[in-house]
């Protein structure tokens, strides 16, 4: 299989605090991981692409200092939302491609962030 | 600019009533077209990948087809458990091996018993 796990699945935090979301590929090595954001009834918007051992590539309009991405190993990427504000409340989903695979993306279950 | 448009936005069917979902795309060299199913509050679940015009793939009641401009997801005799949002996405050859996908807005399907 190709299982991608996210943690936590939901988190509530106060405005101004930072929140870390983990994304792990459980049964394969992921050279590249992606972070998406999804607002209610909207499609997935790519935030950034992260490659193991290098800096993430952010999409236009995404603040790299606010959304810190670390891809420390071939099975783990983290997204940290720094100084979170209510407008950062969203559904964050990570995905990964298999090393040597055919380009299919396998998605995590998503993390629902609510900033009060 | 690479773009994906899905229609209809929402679709209501009676159980057993077959229909099709459309995904129109413009891309700088298609590397692959993907269909995903997404249930509320969950991440997308991979369904199919299509690589070239004329290709078809099937899985249970679902069949995906591809032309040079669009893809269809045909649902035959749907059941209530097929209710979900179906997402279409394309991968451009220019994205190389990065795996970057451009998603459509999705079609939310509701199948009533």
């Amino acid at each position: 299989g190709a299982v991608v796990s996210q943690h936590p699945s939901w988190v509530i935090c106060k405005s101004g605090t930072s929140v870390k979301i983990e994304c792990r590929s459980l049964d394969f090595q992921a050279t590249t991981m992606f972070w998406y954001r999804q607002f209610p009834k909207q499609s997935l918007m790519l935030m950034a692409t992260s490659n193991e051992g290098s800096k993430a590539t952010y999409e236009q309009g995404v603040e790299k200092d606010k959304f810190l991405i670390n891809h420390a190993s071939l099975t783990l990427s983290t997204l940290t939302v720094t100084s979170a504000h209510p407008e950062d409340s969203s559904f964050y989903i990570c995905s990964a491609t298999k090393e040597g695979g055919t380009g299919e993306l396998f998605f995590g279950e998503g993390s629902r962030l609510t900033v009060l | 600019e690479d773009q994906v448009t899905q229609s209809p936005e929402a679709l209501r069917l009676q159980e057993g009533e077959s229909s099709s979902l459309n995904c129109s795309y413009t891309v700088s060299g298609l590397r692959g077209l993907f269909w995903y199913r997404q249930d509320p509050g969950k991440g997308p679940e991979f369904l199919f990948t299509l690589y070239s015009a004329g290709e078809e793939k099937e899985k249970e009641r679902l069949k995906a087809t591809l032309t040079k401009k669009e893809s269809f997801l045909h649902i035959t005799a749907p059941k209530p458990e097929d209710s979900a949002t179906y997402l279409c996405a394309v991968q451009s050859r220019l994205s190389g091996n990065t795996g970057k996908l451009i998603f459509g807005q999705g079609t939310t399907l509701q199948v009533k018993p």
Side-chain angles (χ1 to χ4, degrees):
Chain A
V3 180
V4 176
S5 174
Q6 270 184 254
H7 178 80
S9 56
W10 60 269
V11 57
I12 301 172
C13 71
K14 292 183 179 181
S15 186
T17 60
S18 294
V19 175
K20 180 185 283 188
I21 301 170
E22 290 186 349
C23 177
R24 294 181 184 272
S25 56
L26 297 185
D27 54 358
F28 66 99
Q29 291 189 324
T31 314
T32 306
M33 288 185 169
F34 303 84
W35 287 95
Y36 287 84
R37 186 173 180 175
Q38 188 176 33
F39 290 106
K41 298 187 178 180
Q42 293 188 25
S43 192
L44 283 73
M45 297 299 296
L46 181 64
M47 297 175 66
T49 303
S50 78
N51 291 292
E52 184 262 339
S54 61
K55 288 185 179 180
T57 302
Y58 290 82
E59 294 299 301
Q60 194 172 10
V62 178
E63 298 176 60
K64 61 181 179 181
D65 294 330
K66 179 165 189 61
F67 299 100
L68 301 179
I69 292 172
N70 182 273
H71 195 154
S73 75
L74 284 173
T75 59
L76 174 64
S77 176
T78 60
L79 167 68
T80 301
V81 183
T82 62
S83 187
H85 291 284
E87 57 264 31
D88 298 324
S89 299
S90 188
F91 193 50
Y92 293 89
I93 311 174
C94 75
S95 66
T97 53
K98 280 186 177 181
E99 191 177 38
T102 53
E104 294 154 9
L105 276 187
F106 299 95
F107 285 85
E109 287 292 299
S111 299
R112 170 77 59 194
L113 171 63
T114 301
V115 184
L116 302 177
Chain B
E1 183 183 345
D2 298 339
Q3 198 168 13
V4 179
T5 304
Q6 290 186 245
S7 63
E9 195 173 303
L11 181 62
R12 289 184 179 182
L13 298 173
Q14 287 296 130
E15 184 172 2
E17 179 186 1
S18 302
S19 188
S20 296
L21 282 57
N22 177 266
C23 171
S24 297
Y25 65 91
T26 54
V27 65
S28 309
L30 181 69
R31 188 162 185 255
L33 184 141
F34 302 81
W35 282 99
Y36 288 87
R37 169 191 170 130
Q38 186 177 26
D39 293 300
K42 301 286 187 181
E45 175 189 342
F46 172 75
L47 293 174
F48 304 109
T49 311
L50 301 168
Y51 296 103
S52 57
E55 189 176 359
E56 298 182 354
K57 287 191 177 174
E58 287 188 67
K59 180 180 179 181
E60 296 180 355
R61 295 178 292 281
L62 301 177
K63 178 180 174 181
T65 62
L66 180 66
T67 72
K68 288 185 178 181
K69 293 183 179 181
E70 58 191 350
S71 176
F72 291 94
L73 184 65
H74 306 278
I75 302 178
T76 303
K79 298 182 178 181
E81 52 263 42
D82 295 323
S83 298
T85 295
Y86 291 86
L87 298 169
C88 172
V90 297
Q91 190 176 76
S92 164
R93 291 191 185 279
L94 294 180
S95 69
N97 293 321
T98 65
K100 179 178 176 179
L101 295 184
I102 306 297
F103 279 87
Q105 292 294 97
T107 294
T108 299
L109 172 66
Q110 184 180 28
V111 182
K112 294 187 174 182

